[in-house]
């Protein structure tokens, strides 16, 4: 068993059960990609078992903080069983559920979503890559699903020195799927879509959006960064008169239009714009257009904490434009999925956007990821998705 010895004082985060060891914390020791290592403090005390990522700045991701744990097939089976049991207890009313959410479920680098009886997994770190077969077999056995599709084509995988990998890992079948949430039907494709096919983390916020559109009687709605139109369908279900969806992905917009039809809404109530959101918002402002409800759900603008400052300016600009485009009494649903932008910072960004826009607003509600995307106390980075519901003062 290879040992990685930390520098003095660098044991603190592992003692708090934070699962990452950065390269700068290591005094000596290395291992092969995905190999299990023992991490010791500078004076030789056991801290954790973990997987080595020789090419990543996150050099070790911890599997366990208990010296008695053996990292073997039984460990993965038991850990997966625990995540599945949590989802069972949550009783999520949808056929699309996140079963494994990486570090928050004790399996750094592993994402597993379930769409009906099809599993879709992302292996984004060397540790889970090395145990891929064991994990795949355990998932099939424990869920009873006959098929598992791999979508290991995320940029974070590159940081671990891994090549993209996609395709059926176990079984096979169609990649098109019809998701149901809040009583809506949403088509997606697990092979072609973003991430594993859909943004399951925004499920609850889409439900909240429908409620607000309905309660406030919003007529004109603007869904920015719409992807396949989840918030668009929510707005139509809430009785919106006219919903415009903007995204820079043509295939996503085509799926959004199909989803509007699938739910039986009149095509005349929805328009789709294949364009850059920022440029579109500026144009609407010039044209004097206004909306009763606006969604701003941009992609991750700050991939790491190091990008936070530049990303903060981008978020502020988007929110300033969004607030200016609201009718008095209208609502903005604004989100950030950047782990590097904390809840407090996001609040500050939106507040200063309001000041720049000359708009007074009331925060009606704070939003976060759906509960099948849990956050743990030990891993604050898990709280990546945050949102605010802001009403423009009349
Ligand atoms: N709200 C969506 C998820 C949004 S993901 C949902 O509930 O499913 C972010 C989306 O932003 C992606 O679909 C991506 O294609 C789009 N996007 C990224 N940059 C963009 C830009 N500059 N202008 C318009 N769309 C953009």
């Amino acid at each position: 068993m290879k040992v990685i010895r930390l520098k003095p004082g660098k044991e603190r985060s592992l003692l708090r059960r934070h699962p990452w060891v950065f390269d700068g914390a290591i005094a000596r020791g290395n291992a092969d990609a995905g190999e299990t290592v023992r991490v010791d403090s500078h004076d030789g005390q056991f801290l954790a078992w973990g997987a080595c990522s020789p090419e990543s700045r996150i050099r070790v991701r911890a599997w366990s903080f208990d010296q008695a744990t053996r990292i073997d097939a039984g460990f993965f089976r038991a850990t997966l069983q625990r995540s599945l049991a949590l989802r069972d207890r949550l009783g999520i009313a949808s056929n699309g559920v996140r079963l494994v959410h990486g570090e928050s479920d004790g399996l750094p680098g592993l994402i597993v979503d379930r769409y009906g009886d099809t599993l879709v997994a992302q292996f984004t770190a060397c540790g889970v890559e090395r145990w891929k077969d064991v994990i795949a077999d355990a998932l099939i056995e424990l869920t009873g699903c006959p098929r598992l599709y791999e979508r290991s084509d995320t940029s974070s995988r590159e940081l671990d020195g891994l090549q993209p990998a996609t395709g059926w890992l176990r079984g096979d079948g169609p990649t098109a799927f019809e998701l149901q949430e809040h009583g809506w039907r949403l088509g997606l494709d697990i092979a072609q879509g973003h991430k594993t096919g859909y943004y399951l983390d925004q499920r609850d916020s889409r439900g909240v959006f429908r409620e607000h559109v309905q309660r406030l009687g919003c007529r004109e709605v603007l869904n920015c960064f719409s992807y396949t139109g989840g918030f668009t369908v929510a707005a139509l279900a809430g009785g919106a008169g006219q919903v415009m969806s903007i995204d820079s992905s043509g295939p996503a917009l085509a799926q959004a239009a199909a989803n509007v039809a699938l739910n039986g809404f009149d095509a005349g109530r929805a328009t789709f714009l294949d364009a850059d959101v920022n440029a579109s918002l500026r144009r609407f402002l010039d044209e004097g257009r206004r909306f009763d409800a606006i969604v701003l759900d941009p992609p991750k603008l700050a991939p790491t904490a190091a990008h936070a400052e530049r990303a903060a300016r981008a978020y502020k600009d988007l929110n300033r434009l969004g607030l200016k485009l609201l009718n008095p009494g209208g609502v903005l649903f604004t989100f950030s999925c950047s782990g590097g932008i904390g809840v407090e910072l996001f609040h500050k960004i939106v507040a200063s956007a309001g000041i720049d826009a000359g708009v007074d607003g009331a925060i009606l509600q704070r939003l976060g990821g759906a509960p099948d995307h849990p956050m743990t106390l030990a891993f604050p980075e898990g709280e990546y998705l945050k949102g605010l519901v802001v009403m423009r003062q009349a």
Side-chain angles (χ1 to χ4, degrees):
M1 174 64 57
K2 292 187 184 156
V3 176
I4 284 185
R5 178 74 64 106
L6 300 188
K7 293 176 182 166
K10 295 297 186 184
E11 66 283 356
R12 290 204 356 240
S13 72
L14 284 177
L15 287 173
R16 288 201 312 261
R17 298 187 162 240
H18 187 285
W20 291 351
V21 178
F22 284 92
D23 54 357
I26 295 175
R28 62 170 190 270
N30 210 341
D32 294 338
E35 193 177 352
T36 302
V37 292
R38 173 187 157 131
V39 185
D40 280 357
S41 64
H42 71 102
D43 55 357
Q45 297 299 308
F46 170 88
L47 295 170
W49 300 115
C52 187
S53 292
E55 292 186 30
S56 171
R57 285 212 49 223
I58 305 174
R59 186 58 48 83
V60 179
R61 291 175 176 82
W63 294 131
S64 169
F65 303 94
D66 177 0
Q67 195 168 355
T69 304
R70 277 183 57 127
I71 309 305
D72 56 12
F75 165 79
F76 288 98
R77 196 176 183 282
T79 310
L80 289 168
Q81 219 162 8
R82 207 170 54 218
S83 327
L84 297 174
L86 169 64
R87 278 35 179 216
D88 277 349
R89 295 184 65 203
L90 291 174
I92 288 164
S94 171
N95 58 355
V97 177
R98 173 145 304 186
L99 299 181
V100 182
H101 191 52
E103 276 77 353
S104 304
D105 283 303
L107 293 169
L110 181 67
I111 297 295
V112 184
D113 290 337
R114 177 182 186 143
Y115 297 103
D117 62 2
T118 298
L119 302 174
V120 186
Q122 295 182 313
F123 297 82
T124 66
C126 293
V128 285
E129 176 73 15
R130 190 155 173 142
W131 290 96
K132 191 186 279 180
D133 276 328
V134 164
I135 291 169
D137 288 339
L139 280 168
I140 294 291
E141 183 212 325
L142 293 171
T143 61
C145 292
R147 59 184 77 87
L148 168 62
Y149 193 87
E150 177 174 20
R151 279 298 303 271
S152 301
D153 53 352
T154 71
S155 56
S156 56
R157 197 171 145 92
E158 278 165 40
L159 298 176
D160 260 46
L162 299 168
Q163 297 297 316
T166 57
W168 291 105
L169 271 185
R170 296 289 182 273
D172 62 11
T175 58
F177 180 74
E178 192 178 306
L179 182 96
Q180 281 156 27
E181 65 175 25
H182 310 295
W184 317 321
R185 302 166 64 185
L186 299 160
L188 59 91
D189 191 298
I190 58 166
Q192 305 301 326
H194 296 177
K195 297 200 178 191
T196 65
Y198 197 56
Y199 292 87
L200 297 173
D201 51 1
Q202 288 283 39
R203 180 194 309 114
D204 289 2
S205 294
R206 286 185 285 264
V208 175
F209 188 59
R210 189 247 326 256
E211 283 169 28
H212 275 79
V213 166
Q214 192 160 29
R215 195 178 310 138
L216 301 172
C218 299
R219 300 296 305 155
E220 297 282 327
V221 175
L222 178 62
N223 181 10
C224 300
F225 308 98
S226 67
Y227 188 50
T228 55
F231 282 99
T232 302
V233 169
L236 293 168
Q242 192 66 44
V243 185
M244 180 180 292
S245 310
I246 311 178
D247 203 281
S248 56
S249 159
L253 289 174
Q255 182 70 69
N259 286 338
V260 168
L262 197 57
N263 289 280
F265 297 119
D266 179 357
R269 290 168 69 197
T271 47
F272 302 92
L273 198 55
D274 185 346
D276 173 65
V277 164
N278 207 288
S280 306
L281 296 183
R282 284 172 205 280
R283 183 162 59 80
F284 294 157
L285 210 53
D286 288 346
E287 293 170 357
R289 292 194 62 155
R290 293 295 179 269
F291 299 89
D292 302 312
I294 299 177
V295 178
L296 290 177
D297 186 18
K300 202 194 293 179
L301 300 178
T304 71
H307 299 80
E309 200 170 309
R310 205 177 56 205
R313 281 197 293 277
Y315 281 116
K316 182 171 158 185
D317 209 40
L318 272 175
N319 281 281
R320 181 180 62 81
L321 293 167
L323 286 165
K324 281 190 127 169
L325 286 167
L326 274 183
N327 279 321
V331 279
L332 177 69
F333 272 58
T334 181
F335 299 94
S336 162
C337 61
S338 299
I341 305 263
V343 174
E344 285 304 312
L345 178 56
F346 188 56
H347 187 151
K348 276 193 193 140
I349 290 168
V350 177
S352 71
I355 290 169
D356 282 10
V359 166
D360 222 354
I363 293 177
L364 303 185
Q365 200 168 332
R366 286 177 185 271
L367 302 169
D372 47 339
H373 300 65
M375 309 173 259
T376 62
L377 298 174
F379 187 65
E381 288 86 346
E383 191 177 0
Y384 65 105
L385 179 58
K386 67 268 327 171
L388 293 171
V389 182
V390 184
M391 180 187 266
R392 180 174 179 159
Q393 305 285 32

